Amino acid sequence: MASVDVTVRGAGIFGLSVAWACVLRGARVRVVDPNGPGAGSSGGLVGALAPHVPENWNEKKAFQLDSLLMAEAFWAEVEEAGGVTAGYGRTGRLQPVADEAALELARARGRGAEALWQGRAVWDLVHVKDAGDFAPSSPSGWLIQDTLTARMAPRRAGAALVAALVARGVEIVETAPDEGAVIWATGWRGLLDLNEAMGRKVGDGVKGQSVHLRYAAPTAAQVFVEGLHIIPHADGTVAIGSTSERDFDNPTSVDEQCDDLIARAYAALPVLKEAEVIGRWAGVRPRARSRAPLLGAWPGRDGHFVANGGFKIGFGMAPKVAEVMADLMLNGRDAIPEGFGFQACFKR
């Protein structure tokens, strides 16, 4: 490729998705990552694409809703272009309801979903006895069931995007000079670099550990119990996670906290007790200080842009992040919510 319109620095989910959106708009794109695609937190296991609760509506929740509703078409197009499955499936989610007060709150949120989710998904209640084998127990006998939540196999998704980009002639290389517009999607270490460059803190990294089990429930809804995600994937595995560790010495080491995740998963879903543990993973997820993705032009660096801070919702946010960043870089159209910019980080 002799010259490019967009240089994407970082081959995680944000970088690859933005590259794809730019390619669809006719741009010539090069992706640069010294560690290769999916080397950071985008190479994890869990892949929960779960919505925020449908109440106290704000721009972050609305942005996420748009992205989750875009996801099926986004990933279908990627798969068609590159011929690699992304592991996407909108299979829903189940959550136990503790007591009568929580039951009433769930009903109120169901009414909120009816008003806010555009009739394209529901937040409802189902009795435990009607929820199937891959369902947690519930003190009230009821489970929240939403049909917006989807799953994504992170490594498969990254491979699908790489295949689609390569099929469109995009180079994915370890080193290259800046050409054209430059977008920095460089994960948690990129946030640390931004802190230094800006002279103030805009974000950092939060370590997470997760576990991979061999258990086939490819069409089952995922389960969310007391902060624990249990995600059945299409390939006959289940991912469980994750921890959130603000202080850590080794970004990729696993420890006894994985054993705790397994024990909690067994307690929530006893059917998993016979499942073989086939992998443990640890990595650091980029978390912007604003708690929303950090998107927009890099202050003081003309022609440079940032897409970072996906934290736990990066895969769910990626289709919409890709759209708004491509619009900004290629068309000068800024549709990024105010709460996603640098100023939102500076205010905290």
Side-chain angles (χ1 to χ4, degrees):
M1 186 178 291
S3 63
V4 299
D5 303 308
V6 177
T7 299
V8 177
R9 295 205 170 274
I13 184 58
F14 276 6
L16 294 173
S17 297
V18 171
W20 178 243
C22 290
V23 166
L24 292 180
R25 286 160 172 75
R28 295 165 298 176
V29 179
R30 178 183 291 128
V31 178
V32 185
D33 194 316
N35 301 306
S41 60
S42 294
L45 301 173
V46 179
L49 280 58
H52 293 289
V53 293
E55 64 182 10
N56 300 323
W57 206 241
N58 56 36
E59 60 185 4
K60 179 180 178 181
K61 292 184 179 184
F63 189 100
Q64 187 200 44
L65 174 64
D66 287 347
S67 193
L68 292 174
L69 293 175
M70 292 167 61
E72 185 171 7
F74 178 91
W75 290 108
E77 188 172 36
V78 168
E79 290 180 346
E80 183 177 2
V84 174
T85 180
Y88 174 84
R90 190 168 148 185
T91 50
R93 176 180 57 174
L94 298 172
Q95 305 176 68
V97 181
D99 51 31
E100 187 61 35
L103 198 59
E104 186 53 41
L105 179 58
R107 293 190 181 102
R109 288 173 171 170
R111 294 189 291 272
E114 187 175 356
L116 296 166
W117 285 2
Q118 307 170 18
R120 298 176 65 183
V122 298
W123 177 289
D124 208 349
L125 290 164
V126 61
H127 201 275
V128 168
K129 63 181 177 61
D130 298 320
D133 295 335
F134 202 88
S137 62
S138 174
S140 68
W142 292 91
L143 301 167
I144 298 165
Q145 180 180 50
D146 83 77
T147 62
L148 181 55
T149 297
R151 64 161 185 236
M152 173 58 63
R155 296 171 186 175
R156 290 178 178 269
L161 277 165
V162 167
L165 289 166
V166 170
R168 292 295 187 95
V170 174
E171 293 179 336
I172 302 176
V173 297
E174 293 183 359
T175 61
D178 291 342
E179 287 190 67
V182 183
I183 182 162
W184 296 81
T186 46
W188 74 284
R189 295 191 185 279
L191 288 178
L192 299 184
D193 291 340
L194 275 172
N195 293 342
E196 184 174 353
M198 304 297 294
R200 61 179 79 185
K201 186 174 181 178
V202 298
D204 55 16
V206 179
K207 181 178 176 179
Q209 299 184 49
S210 55
V211 178
H212 216 185
L213 308 179
R214 191 181 308 283
Y215 185 90
T219 62
Q222 61 187 264
V223 171
F224 185 66
V225 180
E226 297 181 352
L228 183 73
H229 294 276
I230 304 173
I231 317 294
H233 286 293
D235 62 356
T237 66
V238 171
I240 58 176
S242 59
T243 65
S244 289
E245 304 165 45
R246 300 301 294 269
D247 298 314
F248 53 88
D249 295 320
N250 188 330
T252 59
S253 64
V254 295
D255 57 32
E256 67 279 357
Q257 293 181 77
C258 282
D259 297 328
D260 179 63
L261 292 175
I262 295 169
R264 291 168 61 197
Y266 289 172
L269 280 175
V271 296
L272 293 177
K273 288 184 177 180
E274 302 304 316
E276 177 189 3
V277 177
I278 57 175
R280 301 173 185 232
W281 178 89
V284 182
R285 298 155 298 183
R287 181 183 183 273
R289 194 178 179 195
S290 65
R291 301 184 182 179
L294 178 59
L295 310 176
W298 186 325
R301 293 190 67 177
D302 187 44
H304 288 247
F305 302 84
V306 174
N308 207 327
F311 193 35
K312 296 181 180 181
I313 57 175
F315 278 86
M317 289 288 207
K320 186 71 172 179
V321 166
E323 177 183 83
V324 299
M325 291 308 302
D327 282 347
L328 178 61
M329 291 188 298
L330 299 178
N331 304 319
R333 177 174 177 264
D334 189 350
I336 299 169
E338 182 179 347
F340 288 35
F342 278 86
Q343 289 302 318
C345 292
F346 295 160
K347 290 177 182 178
R348 288 186 171 268

